Amino acid sequence: MSPSEVVFDEMQIDFIKEIFNTGLGEAGVELSELVEDEVELSVPDFQLLSREVIYQRLGIDKDTLVNSVAVTIGGDISGNGILVFPEANSLGLIRTIVEEAAGPDAMTDQEEEALVEISGIILNNLISTISEFLSMDITTDLPHHFKDTLASILAQPDDGGVIMFVGMSFSVKSLNLSGDILFLQNTETTQKFYQRVAKTLDEYDLD
């Protein structure tokens, strides 16, 4: 079974969204404490997409520079969890937390640390919730920030695997921000994730 042949049914997609909502809900609580204000996170979508479709879905040209924070995933499944921010959105978010600002298009060391901390909270809560719901041993390394073109960010894995796309929006007071979570995984991981979701639903006797 190749990634292109992996098709989640409606019940499986609803279950995955429940996992994401739980993980992001926990992340929202931590972020609210960090910014000292209510933070809402929503998960409007989950899809397996090719790179070309990802460019269209994000509405970002593949040669556009974006700020991203990534964690490497290991254990029962492997890959990378990446939070992608259009630059204006990432700067807007972190400047609700830090007072120091380098300018409209630049990022200070303090702002970069804040972006990594925020993204790490989101990604690690999401991944730990996936691990809990699916009874999988999943590890992550420390989150790290990088700025590169969207094409370079999506360059791995290179075995033709599809990308797990999680659309996400932020709400902090009247500040409207958005970011997108991408899981880059190889063919084997895509299959393992699909199989574990199906197995878990069977064990819950929900299908």
Side-chain angles (χ1 to χ4, degrees):
M1 178 173 59
S2 68
S4 61
E5 296 172 331
V6 173
V7 179
F8 291 90
D9 63 28
E10 183 176 352
M11 181 169 290
Q12 291 168 338
I13 291 174
D14 287 344
F15 180 53
I16 293 167
K17 287 182 178 180
E18 179 184 350
I19 295 173
F20 291 157
N21 275 313
T22 301
L24 289 176
E26 293 174 357
V29 172
E30 288 192 43
L31 289 176
S32 294
E33 295 175 355
L34 185 62
V35 302
E36 298 181 346
D37 196 358
E38 184 177 1
V39 175
E40 294 182 356
L41 299 169
S42 64
V43 183
D45 203 2
F46 164 75
Q47 292 178 294
L48 294 179
L49 302 174
S50 68
R51 284 160 181 74
E52 291 303 321
V53 175
I54 283 285
Y55 301 143
Q56 299 173 18
R57 182 65 176 79
L58 296 181
I60 302 174
D61 184 84
K62 65 181 181 179
D63 296 320
T64 298
L65 290 174
V66 295
N67 280 306
S68 300
V69 175
V71 295
T72 300
I73 301 169
D76 288 343
I77 57 176
S78 61
N80 294 290
I82 301 179
L83 189 50
V84 177
F85 295 98
E87 188 164 25
N89 283 344
S90 61
L91 291 176
L93 174 61
I94 58 182
R95 284 172 183 171
T96 67
I97 299 175
V98 300
E99 296 181 357
E100 178 185 3
D105 299 316
M107 183 180 293
T108 67
D109 290 342
Q110 186 180 7
E111 288 173 340
E112 182 176 357
E113 290 175 2
L115 182 63
V116 170
E117 181 177 5
I118 292 166
S119 301
I121 289 171
I122 294 171
L123 290 168
N124 286 318
N125 271 284
L126 186 54
I127 293 168
S128 65
T129 304
I130 292 172
S131 176
E132 180 181 352
F133 269 69
L134 299 182
S135 300
M136 303 182 81
D137 180 16
I138 304 176
T139 61
T140 59
D141 66 357
L142 293 175
H144 59 278
H145 166 259
F146 56 97
K147 182 176 180 178
D148 208 335
T149 64
L150 187 58
S152 294
I153 291 170
L154 303 187
Q156 299 293 330
D158 59 4
D159 69 345
V162 293
I163 295 167
M164 292 185 191
F165 170 80
V166 184
M168 181 183 66
S169 62
F170 294 94
S171 176
V172 182
K173 277 190 173 180
S174 60
L175 190 62
N176 294 319
L177 302 163
S178 64
D180 294 287
I181 298 174
L182 307 176
F183 287 101
L184 310 185
Q185 69 290 319
N186 59 23
T187 300
E188 181 181 2
T189 294
T190 302
Q191 294 170 349
K192 282 184 177 179
F193 182 76
Y194 172 81
Q195 291 164 359
R196 187 55 66 99
V197 168
K199 179 180 179 182
T200 302
L201 284 172
D202 283 340
E203 291 172 348
Y204 286 171
D205 196 24
L206 295 179
D207 59 353

